[in-house]
Structure formats: C-alpha cells, structure tokens
Amino acid sequence: MRSALVGTNPAFEHVLHGQMIHRKWILHLLAKYGGPTKIRRIGKTRLAAFARSHKARNPEPVIHAMLAAIHTQTMSIAGAEYPELSVAMSAKDALAKLAHRKEIEAQVLKLIQDIPQTEILLSMPGIGPRSAAQILMTVGDMSDLPDAAHLASYTGLSLRTTQSGTSIMSNSPNRAGNKN
C-alpha cells in the first residue's frame, strides 16, 4: 500500500506514517476509495462522517492533514487510478486478516474454557483471557508443574535476589525461564 501511495502522492502517504495506516477507519477509507484521487472528491464533511461511522477517535486532525497533503500536490500523475486499485485491494486484504484474527481469537477463548486451569489463571490479578490462553498454549495442561512457584520459574517471573555477602541489593524478576 505504501509504495503505491508514494508513487501517486508522497505527501498523502507521509500523513499515514507509522501505524496510522493500520487504523481500522483508515483501512476502511482506503478499501472504499483507494487513495487521494477519490478521497479529494469526498470533502471534509463526508470524510468526518465516514470516520465517525467507523468509530474513529478524534479523526479531524488526520482528515485535515490528509486533505492538505492531497491539495499540495499540483501535478497529476497519469494512470494514478491503477495503483490506487491495488491500495484498495491491499486494504481489503488487511481488513479481512483482522477479521480472521478476531475469529481465531474467539475460537481460542472458547476452547480454553474447557481446560480446568483456565479458572485458576483468570483468578490471578493481571491475567485476562488472552494471557491465560497464551500461558496454556505455552505451558500445556500444567500437570508437570507441582506448584505455582514452578510455574513462575518456568515463565521467568520468579524473583532473583542480587546480594553481596550478607547485603541484599535487590529482588527483580529472573527472566531466565522458557524462551519459547
């Protein structure tokens, strides 16, 4: 997506720097309109309504920057519609992958409900369904671990005491557990 946008309107692509292009409403915008050529025709009001319909938080600065970038380019590139078609298709693919991820996550969360240790993990502070699923996928059924201390050691969360002689300097997480 980025290379196609740079080829048609570098300033517009620059507005979508970093993770901005991965925001869901931006992906929906690119999937529907493709790029600067069609976005220019929409206008600020309709862009804001589009962003709000896709639950964007504070989209006005981004919209203002997009439109400013589009209007700064005075030279039109012949055949700009074709790269923008690939931008639209790539954005649709990215949205499909996001939906697929959510589907997989829902299936995993449903599967871990059948594992007895899930309830124990969820009762721990800071452990939610995603973390519990990750722990269960990494550790397994936990039958090899006799107690919570062994689990903490395996995950690298057990405390390591740094001392010199009889003076204790600090206690910090060990981080020497399983690296898988």
Side-chain angles (χ1 to χ4, degrees), residues 1-143:
M1 280 192 292
R2 289 191 182 280
S3 62
L5 288 173
V6 165
T8 58
N9 193 321
F12 180 79
E13 189 277 335
H14 184 69
V15 170
L16 303 178
H17 67 282
Q19 295 298 313
M20 179 74 67
I21 200 165
H22 298 292
R23 290 184 182 177
K24 217 169 179 183
W25 76 272
I26 299 282
L27 287 173
H28 279 287
L29 181 72
L30 293 174
K32 184 168 184 176
Y33 298 107
T37 306
K38 291 182 181 175
I39 291 173
R40 168 183 244 155
R41 296 181 203 144
I42 298 169
K44 190 174 187 176
T45 308
R46 286 178 53 200
L47 272 174
F50 181 88
R52 282 193 200 90
S53 72
H54 289 283
K55 299 178 179 93
R57 294 182 190 160
N58 193 22
E60 287 78 15
V62 177
I63 291 169
H64 178 71
M66 277 195 282
L67 291 175
I70 290 169
H71 291 297
T72 58
Q73 183 165 327
T74 55
M75 182 175 26
S76 64
I77 298 170
E81 308 85 41
Y82 300 114
E84 289 183 10
L85 282 173
S86 71
V87 168
M89 289 196 290
S90 296
K92 287 175 188 173
D93 287 345
L95 288 168
K97 286 178 184 176
L98 284 173
H100 189 64
R101 278 186 186 173
K102 285 193 181 239
E103 208 175 287
I104 290 172
E105 183 179 324
Q107 289 176 359
V108 166
L109 294 177
K110 186 178 174 184
L111 287 172
I112 66 167
Q113 296 305 318
D114 298 335
I115 301 171
Q117 289 84 1
T118 302
E119 190 176 323
I120 296 167
L121 289 171
L122 291 175
S123 70
M124 296 176 171
I127 304 287
R130 289 181 185 173
S131 300
Q134 186 68 40
I135 291 169
L136 289 169
M137 285 190 290
T138 304
V139 178
D141 67 355
M142 292 194 258
S143 62

